[in-house]
Amino acid sequence: MHLIILLSVFSLLTSVVVAGPVSDNYELQTYGFGAGGVIDASSSSYSMVGILGEQASTQSGLVLTQQAGLPAAPSLSNPGTLYDRLNMIIDNGGNPTDATFAVAITSDNWASTRYIQDDFTVGETLGAEDWQTFTSWGSGSGVTITGLSYNTIYTVKVKARSGDFTETDWSAEGSASTVSPSLTFSVSDSTITFDELSSANSWTDATKTTILTTSTNAYHGYTVYGHETGQLTDTSANTILDYASPNSAPTSWTGLGFGYTTNDSSLTGGTANRFISEGPNYAGFTAAQPGDPVADHTDVITDTPVTNEQFTISYRVTVNDNQPAGSYTTSLVYVVVPEY
């Protein structure tokens, strides 16, 4: 018997795709090289994409952690006519609430750089306390930078950080200019002549006035003080006494003398409306310099300067019928004191 054996030889071809390092038993299908840790992590304030433990770098190498968000250019403005301060609003840059920000400032195009301090003044160094949260920088309302030079252009820029190795570069810049301090003051008349006093007018004239006009951008406003160089006196040295009530406690008119009242209802130096309440109330001039307050504006001037603000000083003189006849004169001095 003959046995015939037919042999067929097959070549079996296949391809194997290796996704990662393999051994006889295992294969790493996805992997990364890094400093160890986890792929991502988050907390109530932060979210990280990367491998925990790696530090940020601009060089090639390990997978990078994310920097803080770079803020946009801050807004620097002069809302009115400010001469020693400017308003600044920084951008949050999409950072978490506990991210902190630092602000650099210059007035010479960065030939020298200074920094906004935690009290919003300008300092030579940037301290740890000067990195403040968006809330501390006034959020969307901003803060007022003080202690600046007048009539000067300032430029600011901001950087952010939200932990170690996350500090950004400086942002784009914002600029604004302070202005010069200003003050003008005028008195409506240089001379006041009372009517001739006689029995026809009950030895009294209460019709004469002076209008005081002031304009200023002084941050804390101004006060006008008034004093006399002496009592009303004639060429024979006869005098008319000053009205007895003082500026701090004026009274409705009683008796004799030369006095004044003011229409300023918020006057410093005593009860604010002391000349107005149940008035007019009068006081006598003092000869002490610079005098007593007769008009003022003590509100902080932020957005709009004081422009041509007017107050009226009204005078009264009353004598009795045995006052020696004559021409009596004195000089009144008004001094405006701005508070910058």
Side-chain angles (χ1 to χ4, degrees):
M1 177 182 290
H2 296 281
L3 296 176
I4 299 175
I5 300 174
L6 299 177
L7 299 177
S8 296
V9 179
F10 297 92
S11 295
L12 180 62
L13 300 177
T14 185
S15 61
V16 177
V17 178
V18 178
V22 298
S23 68
D24 291 341
N25 299 311
Y26 299 99
E27 176 183 344
L28 296 179
Q29 294 185 345
T30 60
Y31 64 95
F33 294 100
V38 297
I39 295 299
D40 55 43
S42 63
S43 68
S44 60
S45 300
Y46 297 98
S47 177
M48 187 193 73
V49 177
I51 297 179
L52 186 64
E54 297 174 1
Q55 70 180 37
S57 171
T58 58
Q59 306 301 317
S60 61
L62 303 179
V63 179
L64 303 182
T65 56
Q66 288 183 328
Q67 282 187 321
L70 179 65
S75 170
L76 194 64
S77 65
N78 188 336
T81 54
L82 301 173
Y83 52 87
D84 68 344
R85 62 199 64 211
L86 292 170
N87 290 357
M88 182 187 70
I89 301 174
I90 70 169
D91 176 67
N92 188 40
N95 286 292
T97 57
D98 53 354
T100 55
F101 303 83
V103 181
I105 186 169
T106 186
S107 58
D108 55 14
N109 198 29
W110 305 110
S112 61
T113 299
R114 295 185 292 170
Y115 303 93
I116 308 303
Q117 308 295 287
D118 60 347
D119 61 355
F120 311 126
T121 59
V122 177
E124 299 298 325
T125 59
L126 178 63
E129 72 282 359
D130 303 323
W131 286 85
Q132 301 191 79
T133 65
F134 184 63
T135 299
S136 296
W137 285 111
S139 301
S141 299
V143 297
T144 299
I145 304 171
T146 61
L148 304 179
S149 298
Y150 67 86
N151 199 27
T152 301
I153 298 173
Y154 285 92
T155 301
V156 293
K157 57 186 178 183
V158 182
K159 63 168 54 179
R161 67 185 183 189
S162 56
D164 293 338
F165 314 115
T166 65
E167 185 174 316
T168 68
D169 199 355
W170 290 107
S171 70
E173 301 168 0
S175 296
S177 179
T178 56
V179 300
S180 296
S182 64
L183 173 69
T184 62
F185 177 67
S186 65
V187 179
S188 58
D189 297 291
S190 59
T191 302
I192 291 174
T193 302
F194 286 108
D195 295 342
E196 183 175 302
L197 303 182
S198 66
S199 59
N201 55 16
S202 300
W203 309 96
T204 296
D205 184 2
T207 62
K208 303 304 184 288
T209 62
T210 295
I211 298 175
L212 310 176
T213 304
T214 307
S215 297
T216 185
N217 65 350
Y219 189 71
H220 294 282
Y222 69 90
T223 301
V224 179
Y225 297 90
H227 72 274
E228 64 181 7
T229 58
Q231 295 176 335
L232 284 166
T233 304
D234 69 3
T235 55
S236 299
N238 297 307
T239 61
I240 297 174
L241 298 179
D242 294 311
Y243 188 64
S245 296
N247 178 281
S248 59
T251 61
S252 58
W253 190 274
T254 58
L256 308 174
F258 168 54
Y260 70 94
T261 186
T262 173
N263 70 340
D264 190 342
S265 61
S266 59
L267 186 64
T268 188
T271 303
N273 64 343
R274 60 189 182 277
F275 281 89
I276 306 298
S277 180
E278 300 179 3
N281 297 315
Y282 290 85
F285 280 101
T286 179
Q289 299 184 28
D292 293 318
V294 295
D296 64 10
H297 182 122
T298 56
D299 294 336
V300 170
I301 299 171
T302 54
D303 297 339
T304 305
V306 173
T307 303
N308 294 328
E309 185 171 50
Q310 294 186 330
F311 291 101
T312 300
I313 310 301
S314 300
Y315 308 100
R316 174 166 176 161
V317 59
T318 298
V319 298
N320 57 28
D321 56 3
N322 60 6
Q323 179 72 35
S327 179
Y328 293 77
T329 62
T330 189
S331 294
L332 300 179
V333 180
Y334 293 106
V335 178
V336 60
V337 179
E339 187 175 351
Y340 293 104

